[in-house]
Amino acid sequence: MTSGQGIKLFTTEKHKNMDFRQQILQGIPATLPAKYSYDKQIAHAPIRANVLNDEEKKLSVRNALRYFPAEWHTELAIEFFEELNSYGRIYMYRFMPKYEMYARSISDYPFQSKQAGCIMLMIQNNLDPKVAQFPHELITYGGNGSVFQNWAQYLLTMQYLATMTDYQTLNIYSGHPQGLFPSNPSAPRVVVSNGMMIPNYSGKLDLEKFTALGVTQYGQMTAGSFMYIGPQGIVHGTTITLMNAFRKKLADHETPEGKVFLTAGLGGMSGAQPKAGNISKCITVCAEVNPTAAVKRYEQGWVDELIEGLPALVERVRKAQRDKETVSLAYIGNIVNVWEKFDEEGVFVTIGSDQTSLHNPFSGGYYPVSLSFEEANSMMAENPASFKKEVESSLVRQVACINRHVAKGTYFFDYGNAFMLEAGRAGAAIFDEGGEKFRYGSYVEDILGPKCFDFGFGPFRWVCSSGRKEDLVTTDRLAMEVMEDIRVTAPKEIQQQLDDNIIWIKNAMSNDLVVGSEARILYADAEGRAKIALRFNEAVTAGLLHGPVILGRDHHDVSGTDSPYRETSNIYDGSSFTADMAIHNVIGDSFRGATWVSIHNGGGVGWGEVINGGFGLVLDGSEAAAQKARGMLFYDVNNGIARRSWARNDEAVFAIKREMERTPSLRVTLPNRVDDKIIDGLI
């Protein structure tokens, strides 16, 4: 009998005597818990705008009460109505579990399916207060990237996972656990969808309305798919991006030392920027309007120094430039003020970007320069129309100053946070002379698309389910050995990618990147991912690792995401606004062995702007796991390369031809080139 079987459920009266496993198995408690006492010591989500009319508010409360027995409805109806009016959402705070939230060792969970146990571990990691941006609101990162809509959904999902077998699949609709359905061991244990709206109901106002009604949620990317590993995930992508940005900007004999990288945002994802700057050996200046977020990143070691006051910032940056320091500086204040002050004082910015949550510009993702942090939080809840105008005015002002810096030689790129998209909508001078295209490229257009994604390199990641650091050290070593072996015979086209990632994995432990679960990320192609996975699986079989390894990736990858302003921004055949790739990716992964799959509306650039999908794959040391890794990881990458090659991307054509030579059973339709003179002569 496995660890989850045979444990009886206990009432809430005995809650304090229940161990962790029993609380998981309980699901919705048998008796009503005590009312929640609002914890002001922890960061909370901004109050959302009150967008529902009276009848819709009634419907929202009615929807929430579905989870609970009728005898609780009178009391909970009043409480949930208060939550809705006070916070703009019904979070069901009363039902937040009392146990500590973090990724435990797989052996600590009750389960009948080891795969389901691994998923439970990943869910708790996403909600760990050290990892999550607003853990009490079940938001992992990005201001509104939710794991669940409310705590009832969490409790039921964990109960389902604890009791399900390998012959069942759990369906989750935007956080709501629809139920367990008969299945088979080769099928996914969980299928997740988030925010999958009818297309005509996918505007920003729709997001606010239907989320407030409790019928959908914004899963971001790895938040709603249970695959977030803290800022480490984006540290690596930011490091690769930043190193290549400096390569684009600097002469061959120059290094990033003493050069300024100016950006904004120290929230869950963007907190990675200072660490990436240190790894790239530059001066990072990152503005953050929320003092709590800035202090949190400083205390976690993700930023070297905190600075308040623009004169002090200018003086510190000039010293760092003179001494050619590698240092990361968090300025507590608004980024617009920094751009303007550096312009006035003649502080040269070599690389500029922005990582505020502009996918969510009017609900806490971006704070206008005209308001204090506290004033902005009040206005966005009490007067959203006025707040929207302040945001737009601030974006216009920020872009105007960025343009002045670029005229002096700054290289500015959009970091996939919808900065240029929202600036353009605000009326900023962000377009080129033709007035149709943005004057600055996105980082995917300029860097990650042609240098990584088209070649099949993307953010492969893994988590050691044992929770042991020594297991992570072992997996780092195994991954490095695989990459070094591949490097020996690799074509020159991908040697730089391999070199960058070999250096990364060698230094990963010393860079102290782990927050939450014992996890690692590495950019690798299909060959690298499969070979690393097989080595991990063999290590589990041999007992070199003390538990299964959970594989995944960011949705921000070769195949996972269709996003015309980010992941597919270097697709120029007109198909960047289609979502066939992401849909096929999730469907294809599901029947090739993924342990769980997810598909989301929304992501880094916002609701209605992107469709993205992810997966998780548990390596338990079995031959079945090895077969799944071979087939699923191959498809997960090459589906995207095939699409990118059809778009006539030279690097992708090279990559898919190389793959077809290695894999005779792969046959992909290749594009025929057309002479420009033939086309130009038509009009």
Side-chain angles (χ1 to χ4, degrees), residues 21-80:
R21 295 185 182 191
Q22 292 167 338
Q23 290 182 59
I24 291 292
L25 286 161
Q26 178 181 228
I28 301 291
T31 59
L32 188 61
K35 192 171 182 179
Y36 167 82
S37 179
Y38 196 80
D39 184 356
K40 295 183 179 180
Q41 301 302 311
I42 196 166
H44 288 280
I47 296 172
R48 310 303 185 184
N50 191 335
V51 298
L52 302 182
N53 61 36
D54 289 347
E55 289 303 312
E56 289 168 338
K57 288 181 179 180
K58 291 179 183 179
L59 179 58
S60 178
V61 174
R62 187 185 299 275
N63 288 342
L65 293 173
R66 287 183 286 192
Y67 290 101
F68 307 105
E71 56 267 28
W72 297 357
H73 286 183
T74 299
E75 182 174 350
L76 290 181
I78 296 171
E79 182 176 321
F80 291 167

Side-chain angles (χ1 to χ4, degrees), residues 462 474-483 505 522 532 536:
W462 62 89
T474 298
T475 58
D476 283 353
R477 175 179 58 80
L478 295 174
M480 184 178 68
E481 291 172 357
V482 169
M483 298 293 278
I505 202 68
L522 178 74
I532 291 170
F536 289 173

Side-chain angles (χ1 to χ4, degrees), residues 503-520:
I503 292 171
W504 164 268
I505 202 68
K506 282 182 177 178
N507 297 324
M509 192 60 69
S510 63
N511 284 326
D512 194 21
L513 297 164
V514 171
V515 177
S517 60
E518 294 295 329
R520 186 68 75 224

Side-chain angles (χ1 to χ4, degrees), residues 122-124 126-127 132 137-140 144-150 153-154 172 174-176 192 194 217-219 222-226:
M122 297 301 294
I123 289 173
Q124 290 205 301
N126 269 27
L127 294 172
E137 288 75 40
L138 304 110
I139 291 173
T140 301
N144 62 347
S146 301
V147 186
F148 299 100
Q149 298 174 54
N150 56 59
Q153 293 177 347
Y154 166 85
I172 300 181
S174 290
H176 168 65
V192 177
N194 280 301
Q217 72 172 6
Y218 192 84
T222 52
S225 61
F226 322 143

Side-chain angles (χ1 to χ4, degrees), residues 15 22 36 52 62 87 89 98 116 132 212 226 243 259 297 308 319 443 456 469 512 535 589 670 676:
H15 184 277
Q22 292 167 338
Y36 167 82
L52 302 182
R62 187 185 299 275
Y87 310 116
R89 301 286 187 272
K98 302 302 185 291
F226 322 143
M243 287 193 303
K259 309 296 193 302
R297 292 300 171 219
E308 296 186 62
K319 180 183 184 300
Y443 75 118
K469 180 165 286 188
D512 194 21
R535 288 290 295 276
D589 284 357
L670 296 174
D676 289 344

